Amino acid sequence: MPLVLLLIIIFIVPEDSLEYMLGAILGGGYGILMVIAFVAILYGIYKFFSDLWNGR
């Protein structure tokens, strides 16, 4: 699911601005931590709603 969202974002955003955005994120010292935090937040939201959907 997160992979699908990532692909949608990649194809919606124009290519040159996406490259600048990725360069800015990964070029910063905290870039890797930001990516990990973003993935963790997405996973947490997914887990929360899947648990809610399953009735736990």
Side-chain angles (χ1 to χ4, degrees):
M1 181 67 182
L3 185 63
V4 173
L5 289 174
L6 184 67
L7 288 175
I8 289 172
I9 291 169
I10 287 173
F11 284 117
I12 286 175
V13 178
E15 188 176 341
D16 53 345
S17 62
L18 184 72
E19 287 174 3
Y20 290 134
M21 189 172 67
L22 284 175
I25 292 170
L26 295 175
Y30 298 105
I32 295 163
L33 292 176
M34 294 288 272
V35 170
I36 293 171
F38 182 69
V39 170
I41 290 168
L42 283 181
Y43 178 73
I45 293 169
Y46 164 75
K47 192 76 172 149
F48 173 76
F49 281 110
S50 67
D51 287 349
L52 204 64
W53 190 261
N54 293 332
R56 290 187 192 165

